[in-house]
Amino acid sequence: MSKMHVKLTVNGAAVEGLAEPRTLLIHCLRENLGVTGPHVGCETSHCGACTVDMDGRSVKSCTVFVAQAQGADVTTVEGLVNADGSLSVLQEMFREHYGLQCGFCTSGTITRAHRFLQENPIPTEEQVRFGMAGNLCRCTGYQNIVKAILAAAEMMNAQDKPSSTEGVGQQKVETAE
Ligand code: FES
Ligand code: FES
């Protein structure tokens, strides 16, 4: 199949290269760009391990072709850290509240939680559970994930910075092209 010239912004860095249009975004990120935060789980849009933020929406990158992502602004868990490289409030709360065990789901879960909190900065527990329903975790039983997200919301609101993880700390990514 012929290749297309793909241009993306990934974690704040402009990247471009040739790829088959049917290449999945998750494979482009991991294999071509070396952005290995998003994980490959089911590859059928069920588990959420591959979740990234694309143009302000959570997407499962195993179900997005690079042709569909042309020109998009993509943020992965690597791009959610603070400008100085320290963990964001949300990432810290996952650590503090044991919102992860094996960590396989974690990058997708945190990336989804980041977007969820942008959309709903003062969520109820029920809203967190509903908003996170697309991200499966085989380890934690979800309780600590919910606690972490609620704690992050509380801290971010207390700091009066409901969007404190939005658009900050984005790291440059070198392309493999
Ligand atoms: Fe994409 Fe499971 S790998 S949803
Ligand atoms: Fe292991 Fe979620 S921490 S799958």
Side-chain angles (χ1 to χ4, degrees):
M1 180 175 284
S2 62
K3 294 188 173 181
M4 64 179 285
H5 188 204
V6 180
K7 288 185 175 187
L8 298 169
T9 301
V10 179
N11 296 328
V15 295
E16 58 185 296
L18 295 175
E20 288 187 8
R22 67 181 177 181
T23 304
L24 296 174
L25 179 58
I26 182 69
H27 293 148
C28 176
L29 290 169
R30 291 180 58 86
E31 291 156 28
N32 297 110
L33 302 176
V35 181
T36 55
H39 287 162
V40 180
C42 63
E43 285 195 290
T44 57
S45 195
H46 286 90
C47 74
C50 65
T51 302
V52 301
D53 206 80
M54 187 169 106
D55 291 336
R57 289 186 307 133
S58 297
V59 300
K60 292 176 176 174
S61 59
C62 72
T63 51
V64 176
F65 295 122
V66 288
Q68 296 172 293
Q70 179 72 289
D73 189 358
V74 176
T75 303
T76 68
V77 71
E78 289 95 333
L80 299 182
V81 294
N82 296 320
D84 64 0
S86 60
L87 297 180
S88 68
V89 168
L90 178 60
Q91 290 166 325
E92 278 289 358
M93 290 303 99
F94 265 73
R95 187 180 62 80
E96 191 171 316
H97 291 276
Y98 304 100
L100 63 144
Q101 289 180 26
C102 79
F104 192 83
C105 72
T106 308
S107 69
T109 302
I110 288 179
T111 307
R112 169 59 195 146
H114 163 78
R115 178 50 49 195
F116 170 76
L117 289 176
Q118 298 299 316
E119 295 163 348
N120 192 345
I122 310 177
T124 63
E125 177 177 338
E126 187 180 13
Q127 287 169 333
V128 171
R129 290 182 183 278
F130 187 76
M132 297 300 298
N135 291 76
L136 304 183
C137 176
R138 298 180 68 172
C139 301
T140 63
Y142 301 101
Q143 188 60 30
N144 289 348
I145 289 175
V146 173
K147 269 190 207 168
I149 295 169
L150 289 171
E154 197 175 318
M155 272 188 91
M156 291 158 73
N157 286 308
Q159 294 171 346
D160 196 27
K161 290 180 183 171
S163 60
S164 61
T165 58
E166 177 72 39
V168 297
Q170 294 180 329
Q171 295 181 320
K172 297 251 176 186
V173 175
E174 300 293 331
T175 74
E177 298 292 329

